[in-house]
Coordinates of all heavy atoms in Angstrom, one line a residue:
A1174 N 0.8 -1.2 0.0 CA 0.0 0.0 0.0 C 0.9 1.3 0.0 O 0.6 2.2 -0.8 CB -0.9 0.0 1.2
A1175 N 1.9 1.3 0.8 CA 2.8 2.4 0.9 C 3.6 2.5 -0.5 O 3.8 3.6 -1.0 CB 3.8 2.3 2.0
G1176 N 3.9 1.4 -1.0 CA 4.6 1.4 -2.3 C 3.8 2.0 -3.4 O 4.3 2.6 -4.3
E1177 N 2.5 1.7 -3.4 CA 1.6 2.2 -4.4 C 1.5 3.7 -4.4 O 1.5 4.4 -5.4 CB 0.1 1.7 -4.2 CG -0.1 0.3 -4.8 CD -1.5 -0.2 -4.6 OE1 -2.4 0.6 -4.7 OE2 -1.7 -1.4 -4.3
E1178 N 1.5 4.3 -3.2 CA 1.5 5.7 -3.0 C 2.8 6.4 -3.5 O 2.7 7.4 -4.2 CB 1.2 6.1 -1.5 CG -0.1 5.8 -1.0 CD -1.3 6.4 -1.8 OE1 -1.2 7.6 -2.1 OE2 -2.2 5.7 -2.1
I1179 N 3.9 5.7 -3.3 CA 5.1 6.2 -3.8 C 5.2 6.2 -5.3 O 5.6 7.1 -5.9 CB 6.3 5.4 -3.2 CG1 6.4 5.6 -1.7 CG2 7.6 5.8 -3.8 CD1 7.2 4.6 -0.9
E1180 N 4.7 5.1 -5.9 CA 4.6 4.9 -7.3 C 3.7 6.0 -7.9 O 4.0 6.6 -9.0 CB 4.2 3.5 -7.7 CG 4.1 3.3 -9.2 CD 5.5 3.5 -9.9 OE1 6.5 3.4 -9.3 OE2 5.5 3.8 -11.1
K1181 N 2.6 6.3 -7.3 CA 1.7 7.4 -7.8 C 2.5 8.7 -7.8 O 2.3 9.5 -8.8 CB 0.5 7.5 -6.9 CG -0.6 6.4 -7.2 CD -1.8 6.7 -6.2 CE -2.7 5.5 -6.3 NZ -3.8 5.6 -5.3
S1182 N 3.2 9.0 -6.8 CA 4.0 10.3 -6.7 C 5.1 10.3 -7.8 O 5.3 11.3 -8.4 CB 4.6 10.5 -5.3 OG 3.6 10.7 -4.4
R1183 N 5.7 9.1 -8.0 CA 6.7 9.0 -9.0 C 6.2 9.2 -10.4 O 6.8 9.9 -11.2 CB 7.4 7.6 -8.9 CG 8.8 7.5 -9.5 CD 9.4 6.2 -9.1 NE 8.9 5.1 -9.8 CZ 9.4 4.6 -10.9 NH1 10.4 5.1 -11.5 NH2 8.8 3.6 -11.5
L1184 N 5.0 8.7 -10.6 CA 4.3 8.9 -11.9 C 3.9 10.4 -12.1 O 4.0 10.9 -13.2 CB 3.1 8.0 -12.0 CG 2.3 8.0 -13.3 CD1 3.2 7.7 -14.5 CD2 1.1 7.1 -13.3
Q1185 N 3.5 11.0 -11.1 CA 3.1 12.4 -11.2 C 4.4 13.3 -11.6 O 4.2 14.2 -12.4 CB 2.5 13.0 -9.8 CG 1.1 12.4 -9.6 CD 0.6 12.9 -8.2 OE1 1.4 13.2 -7.3 NE2 -0.7 12.8 -8.1
I1186 N 5.5 12.9 -11.0 CA 6.7 13.6 -11.4 C 7.0 13.4 -12.8 O 7.4 14.3 -13.6 CB 7.9 13.2 -10.5 CG1 7.7 13.6 -9.0 CG2 9.2 13.7 -11.0 CD1 8.6 13.0 -8.0
A1187 N 6.9 12.2 -13.3 CA 7.2 11.8 -14.7 C 6.2 12.6 -15.6 O 6.6 13.1 -16.7 CB 7.1 10.3 -14.9
Q1188 N 4.9 12.6 -15.2 CA 3.9 13.4 -16.0 C 4.2 14.8 -16.1 O 4.1 15.5 -17.1 CB 2.5 13.1 -15.4 CG 2.0 11.8 -15.6 CD 0.7 11.5 -14.9 OE1 0.4 12.2 -13.9 NE2 -0.1 10.6 -15.4
H1189 N 4.7 15.4 -14.9 CA 5.0 16.8 -14.9 C 6.2 17.2 -15.8 O 6.1 18.2 -16.5 CB 5.2 17.2 -13.4 CG 5.6 18.7 -13.3 ND1 4.6 19.7 -13.4 CD2 6.8 19.3 -13.1 CE1 5.2 20.9 -13.2 NE2 6.5 20.7 -13.0
Y1190 N 7.2 16.4 -15.7 CA 8.4 16.8 -16.5 C 8.5 16.1 -17.8 O 9.3 16.6 -18.7 CB 9.7 16.4 -15.6 CG 9.8 17.3 -14.4 CD1 9.5 16.9 -13.2 CD2 10.4 18.6 -14.6 CE1 9.6 17.7 -12.1 CE2 10.5 19.4 -13.5 CZ 10.2 19.0 -12.2 OH 10.3 19.8 -11.1
G1191 N 7.8 15.1 -18.0 CA 8.0 14.3 -19.2 C 6.9 14.5 -20.3 O 6.0 15.2 -20.1
V1192 N 7.1 13.8 -21.4 CA 6.2 13.7 -22.5 C 5.8 12.3 -22.7 O 6.7 11.4 -22.8 CB 6.8 14.3 -23.8 CG1 5.9 14.2 -25.0 CG2 7.3 15.8 -23.5
L1193 N 4.6 12.0 -22.9 CA 4.1 10.6 -23.1 C 4.5 10.1 -24.4 O 4.2 10.7 -25.5 CB 2.6 10.5 -22.9 CG 2.0 9.1 -23.0 CD1 2.5 8.2 -22.0 CD2 0.5 9.2 -22.9
D1194 N 5.2 9.0 -24.4 CA 5.6 8.2 -25.6 C 4.5 7.2 -25.8 O 4.5 6.2 -25.0 CB 6.9 7.6 -25.5 CG 7.4 6.8 -26.8 OD1 6.5 6.4 -27.5 OD2 8.6 6.7 -27.0
K1195 N 3.5 7.4 -26.7 CA 2.4 6.5 -26.8 C 2.7 5.1 -27.2 O 2.1 4.1 -26.9 CB 1.3 7.1 -27.7 CG 0.7 8.4 -27.1 CD -0.4 8.9 -27.9 CE -1.0 10.2 -27.2 NZ -2.0 10.8 -28.0
E1196 N 3.8 5.0 -28.0 CA 4.2 3.7 -28.5 C 4.7 2.8 -27.3 O 4.4 1.6 -27.2 CB 5.4 3.8 -29.5 CG 4.9 3.8 -31.0 CD 6.1 3.8 -31.9 OE1 7.1 3.2 -31.7 OE2 5.9 4.6 -32.9
K1197 N 5.5 3.4 -26.5 CA 6.1 2.7 -25.3 C 5.2 2.8 -24.1 O 5.5 2.1 -23.1 CB 7.5 3.2 -25.0 CG 8.5 3.0 -26.2 CD 9.9 3.6 -25.8 CE 10.8 3.4 -26.9 NZ 12.1 4.0 -26.6
N1198 N 4.2 3.6 -24.2 CA 3.3 3.9 -23.0 C 4.1 4.2 -21.8 O 3.9 3.7 -20.7 CB 2.4 2.7 -22.8 CG 1.2 3.0 -21.9 OD1 0.8 4.2 -21.9 ND2 0.8 2.0 -21.1
Q1199 N 5.0 5.2 -21.9 CA 5.8 5.7 -20.8 C 6.2 7.1 -21.0 O 6.1 7.6 -22.1 CB 7.1 4.9 -20.6 CG 8.1 5.0 -21.7 CD 9.3 4.1 -21.4 OE1 9.2 3.1 -20.7 NE2 10.4 4.4 -22.0
Y1200 N 6.5 7.8 -19.9 CA 6.9 9.2 -20.0 C 8.4 9.3 -20.3 O 9.2 8.6 -19.6 CB 6.5 10.0 -18.8 CG 5.0 10.2 -18.7 CD1 4.2 9.3 -18.1 CD2 4.4 11.3 -19.3 CE1 2.8 9.4 -18.1 CE2 3.0 11.5 -19.3 CZ 2.2 10.5 -18.7 OH 0.9 10.7 -18.7
I1201 N 8.8 10.2 -21.2 CA 10.2 10.4 -21.5 C 10.5 11.8 -21.0 O 9.8 12.8 -21.5 CB 10.5 10.3 -23.0 CG1 10.0 8.9 -23.6 CG2 11.9 10.5 -23.3 CD1 10.6 7.7 -23.0
V1202 N 11.4 12.0 -20.1 CA 11.8 13.3 -19.6 C 12.9 13.9 -20.5 O 13.9 13.2 -20.8 CB 12.3 13.2 -18.2 CG1 12.8 14.5 -17.7 CG2 11.2 12.6 -17.3
P1203 N 12.6 15.1 -21.1 CA 13.6 15.7 -21.9 C 14.9 16.0 -21.2 O 14.9 16.2 -20.0 CB 13.0 17.0 -22.4 CG 11.6 16.9 -22.0 CD 11.5 15.9 -20.9
P1204 N 16.1 15.9 -21.9 CA 17.4 16.1 -21.2 C 17.5 17.4 -20.4 O 18.1 17.4 -19.3 CB 18.4 16.2 -22.4 CG 17.7 15.4 -23.5 CD 16.2 15.6 -23.3
D1205 N 16.8 18.5 -20.8 CA 16.9 19.7 -20.1 C 16.1 19.7 -18.8 O 16.3 20.6 -17.9 CB 16.5 20.9 -20.9 CG 15.1 20.9 -21.4 OD1 14.6 19.7 -21.7 OD2 14.4 21.9 -21.5
K1206 N 15.3 18.7 -18.6 CA 14.5 18.6 -17.3 C 14.8 17.4 -16.4 O 14.3 17.3 -15.4 CB 13.0 18.5 -17.7 CG 12.5 19.8 -18.4 CD 11.0 19.7 -18.6 CE 10.5 21.0 -19.3 NZ 9.1 20.9 -19.5
I1207 N 15.8 16.7 -16.9 CA 16.2 15.5 -16.1 C 16.7 15.8 -14.7 O 16.3 15.2 -13.7 CB 17.3 14.6 -16.9 CG1 16.6 13.9 -18.1 CG2 17.9 13.6 -16.0 CD1 17.5 13.1 -19.0
A1208 N 17.5 16.9 -14.6 CA 18.1 17.2 -13.3 C 17.0 17.6 -12.3 O 17.0 17.2 -11.1 CB 19.1 18.4 -13.4
E1209 N 16.0 18.4 -12.8 CA 14.9 18.8 -11.9 C 14.0 17.5 -11.5 O 13.6 17.4 -10.3 CB 14.0 19.8 -12.6 CG 14.6 21.1 -12.9 CD 13.7 22.0 -13.7 OE1 12.6 22.5 -13.2 OE2 14.0 22.1 -14.9
A1210 N 13.7 16.7 -12.5 CA 13.0 15.5 -12.2 C 13.7 14.6 -11.2 O 13.1 14.1 -10.3 CB 12.7 14.7 -13.5
N1211 N 15.0 14.4 -11.4 CA 15.8 13.5 -10.5 C 15.8 14.1 -9.1 O 15.7 13.4 -8.1 CB 17.2 13.4 -11.0 CG 17.3 12.3 -12.1 OD1 16.4 11.5 -12.3 ND2 18.4 12.4 -12.9
K1212 N 15.9 15.4 -9.0 CA 15.9 16.0 -7.6 C 14.6 15.7 -6.9 O 14.5 15.4 -5.8 CB 16.1 17.6 -7.7 CG 16.1 18.2 -6.4 CD 16.2 19.7 -6.4 CE 16.2 20.4 -5.1 NZ 15.3 19.8 -4.0
E1213 N 13.4 15.8 -7.7 CA 12.2 15.5 -7.0 C 12.0 14.1 -6.7 O 11.5 13.7 -5.6 CB 11.0 16.0 -7.9 CG 10.8 17.5 -7.9 CD 9.4 17.9 -8.3 OE1 8.4 17.3 -7.8 OE2 9.3 18.8 -9.1
I1214 N 12.5 13.2 -7.5 CA 12.5 11.7 -7.2 C 13.4 11.5 -6.0 O 12.9 10.7 -5.1 CB 13.0 10.9 -8.4 CG1 12.1 11.1 -9.7 CG2 13.3 9.5 -8.1 CD1 10.9 10.2 -9.6
N1215 N 14.5 12.1 -5.9 CA 15.4 11.9 -4.7 C 14.7 12.4 -3.5 O 14.8 11.8 -2.4 CB 16.7 12.6 -5.0 CG 17.6 11.8 -6.0 OD1 17.4 10.6 -6.2 ND2 18.5 12.5 -6.6
D1216 N 14.0 13.6 -3.6 CA 13.3 14.1 -2.5 C 12.2 13.1 -2.0 O 12.0 12.9 -0.8 CB 12.7 15.5 -2.8 CG 13.7 16.6 -2.9 OD1 14.9 16.4 -2.5 OD2 13.3 17.7 -3.5
L1217 N 11.5 12.6 -3.0 CA 10.4 11.6 -2.7 C 11.0 10.4 -2.0 O 10.5 10.0 -1.0 CB 9.7 11.2 -4.0 CG 8.7 10.1 -3.9 CD1 7.5 10.4 -3.1 CD2 8.3 9.6 -5.3
F1218 N 12.1 9.9 -2.5 CA 12.7 8.7 -2.0 C 13.3 8.9 -0.6 O 13.5 7.9 0.2 CB 13.6 8.0 -2.9 CG 13.0 7.2 -4.0 CD1 13.8 6.7 -5.0 CD2 11.6 7.0 -4.1 CE1 13.2 5.9 -6.1 CE2 11.0 6.3 -5.1 CZ 11.8 5.7 -6.1

């Protein structure tokens, strides 16, 4: 249950910084936003 909540937050970060690749069904974070996204992921973890 706690892991699901963490995964939801991780997905929100990916959605915020990334662009959905419909073929792969995943968010791709552009190189210029990777540092910001990683900082938020590290804060979350």
Side-chain angles (χ1 to χ4, degrees):
E1177 280 182 36
E1178 292 302 316
I1179 295 165
E1180 182 58 25
K1181 283 180 189 175
S1182 294
R1183 201 170 74 94
L1184 181 58
Q1185 287 175 339
I1186 294 168
Q1188 288 172 335
H1189 178 74
Y1190 290 101
V1192 177
L1193 180 61
D1194 180 335
K1195 291 183 181 180
E1196 267 185 39
K1197 296 180 182 177
N1198 197 27
Q1199 67 183 23
Y1200 288 90
I1201 307 297
V1202 178
D1205 63 323
K1206 294 184 179 182
I1207 289 177
E1209 292 174 75
N1211 281 342
K1212 182 186 179 320
E1213 284 205 47
I1214 296 280
N1215 289 335
D1216 289 347
L1217 171 66
F1218 280 176

